[in-house]
Amino acid sequence: MIQEQQKEEITLFWDIDDIIRETRYKKTFLEAHLLCDPRIKRYERKPKPRSKRVWLAEPTKETIKKIIMNEWS
């Protein structure tokens, strides 16, 4: 009997739409309160100056969680 292994889907990068979907905040709020934070900016990447921005998914997720849970009242 062969056991099938379930392949876990891994997301490497988030774009702004993914962050909006995960946090439920609007883009303007994210830009003003989270994405400008140096702890989040360090995970931001874009291939060219006017290109689409992406963020490393896992560390960005954890950093957003820490900011919201520890610094917001």
Side-chain angles (χ1 to χ4, degrees):
M1 184 175 190
I2 300 174
Q3 293 181 343
E4 292 183 28
Q5 295 179 351
Q6 290 183 340
K7 186 176 180 180
E8 188 175 319
E9 186 176 319
I10 298 173
T11 301
L12 295 177
F13 294 97
W14 276 352
D15 65 8
I16 189 69
D17 295 327
D18 295 322
I19 297 173
I20 291 167
R21 187 173 29 261
E22 291 293 319
T23 62
R24 304 291 194 253
Y25 290 117
K26 293 185 180 194
K27 182 178 179 180
T28 53
F29 181 87
L30 288 170
E31 294 284 359
H33 296 92
L34 287 172
L35 300 181
C36 63
D37 190 298
R39 294 167 289 180
I40 300 292
K41 286 200 87 51
R42 71 190 230 187
Y43 301 117
E44 180 183 318
R45 300 291 185 271
K46 55 184 176 177
K48 297 177 185 174
R50 297 183 64 122
S51 298
K52 182 177 183 175
R53 298 176 297 170
V54 295
W55 291 263
L56 284 167
E58 282 305 311
T60 301
K61 177 181 178 178
E62 291 304 314
T63 304
I64 289 172
K65 198 182 302 185
K66 285 177 186 175
I67 291 169
I68 292 172
M69 296 304 293
N70 298 325
E71 299 177 19
W72 294 6
S73 48

